[in-house]
């Protein structure tokens, strides 16, 4: 049913990968397989909301100079199908922008998806509008796998 729906649409869905390297890698894999196999009538893109890492976890000495995303994660974030990267805080966004010199326009701080809705209930609507604007007229598939106990089971 999924393949039939994608093949029938003039523009395929978009993947929203939230979390860490697991949903990021799955999004890259899905986009690569879809776009390389010629499934559907358009390219499949994805958005990554990184809520597992923050530069605030680093010591103050490295907080503004060292990127918390490893080189292999930055390689996945540089994938052509990745259209938007939304780290969890502004500091991480700024450092990641400088760590991705070929793609700084992809990195955008949209707010903390875990805490901002608590402070401002309209946040969910604003973030949804921002993500929808990146891919107008497309359906969404969201990847939210857990990688820690007990979610992984």
């Amino acid at each position: 049913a999924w393949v039939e729906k994608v093949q029938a649409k003039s523009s395929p869905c978009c993947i929203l990968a939230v979390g860490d390297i697991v949903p990021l890698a799955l999004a890259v894999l899905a986009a690569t397989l879809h776009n390389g196999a010629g499934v559907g009538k358009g390219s499949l893109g994805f958005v990554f909301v990184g809520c597992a890492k923050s530069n605030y976890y680093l010591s103050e000495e490295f907080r503004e100079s060292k990127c918390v995303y490893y080189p292999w994660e930055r390689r996945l974030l540089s994938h052509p199908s990745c259209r938007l990267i939304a780290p969890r805080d502004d500091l991480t966004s700024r450092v990641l922008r400088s760590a991705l010199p070929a793609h700084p326009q992809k990195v955008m701080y949209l707010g903390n998806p875990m805490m901002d809705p608590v402070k401002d209930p309209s946040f969910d609507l604003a973030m949804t509008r921002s993500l929808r604007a990146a891919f107008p007229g497309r359906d969404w598939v969201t990847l939210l796998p857990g990688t820690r106990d007990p979610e992984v089971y």
Side-chain angles (χ1 to χ4, degrees):
W2 163 254
V3 173
E4 291 169 3
K5 182 176 181 179
V6 170
Q7 288 173 336
K9 290 184 68 73
S10 59
S11 62
C13 68
C14 174
I15 296 174
L16 174 61
V18 179
D20 56 16
I21 194 168
V22 173
L24 175 60
L26 290 172
V28 169
L29 178 64
T32 301
L33 291 175
H34 178 278
N35 299 339
V39 177
K41 298 176 182 166
S43 66
L44 179 66
F46 68 90
V47 171
F48 177 68
V49 179
C51 55
K53 293 192 171 203
S54 172
N55 272 63
Y56 286 109
Y57 293 152
L58 299 177
S59 67
E60 287 189 40
E61 178 183 359
F62 299 108
R63 192 169 285 164
E64 297 203 27
S65 61
K66 184 177 179 183
C67 185
V68 290
Y69 286 93
Y70 293 113
W72 53 87
E73 292 169 315
R74 293 194 303 263
R75 172 88 177 184
L76 293 174
L77 293 170
S78 298
H79 192 274
S81 294
C82 181
R83 307 279 166 68
L84 178 67
I85 305 161
R88 67 186 274 175
D89 55 67
D90 191 41
L91 173 63
T92 306
S93 295
R94 289 193 315 265
V95 174
L96 185 56
R97 256 185 233 109
S98 64
L100 293 173
H103 308 284
Q105 74 284 358
K106 286 185 180 184
V107 183
M108 186 181 307
Y109 175 60
L110 300 176
N112 186 322
M114 296 172 289
M115 296 305 295
D116 285 352
V118 174
K119 292 188 291 187
D120 180 6
S122 67
F123 170 78
D124 282 338
L125 184 58
M127 184 176 226
T128 301
R129 285 183 181 146
S130 297
L131 295 176
R132 285 243 182 240
F135 297 92
R138 294 193 181 197
D139 294 329
W140 287 77
V141 173
T142 304
L143 303 174
L144 297 165
T147 57
R148 295 178 179 86
D149 286 335
E151 294 89 4
V152 76
Y153 299 110

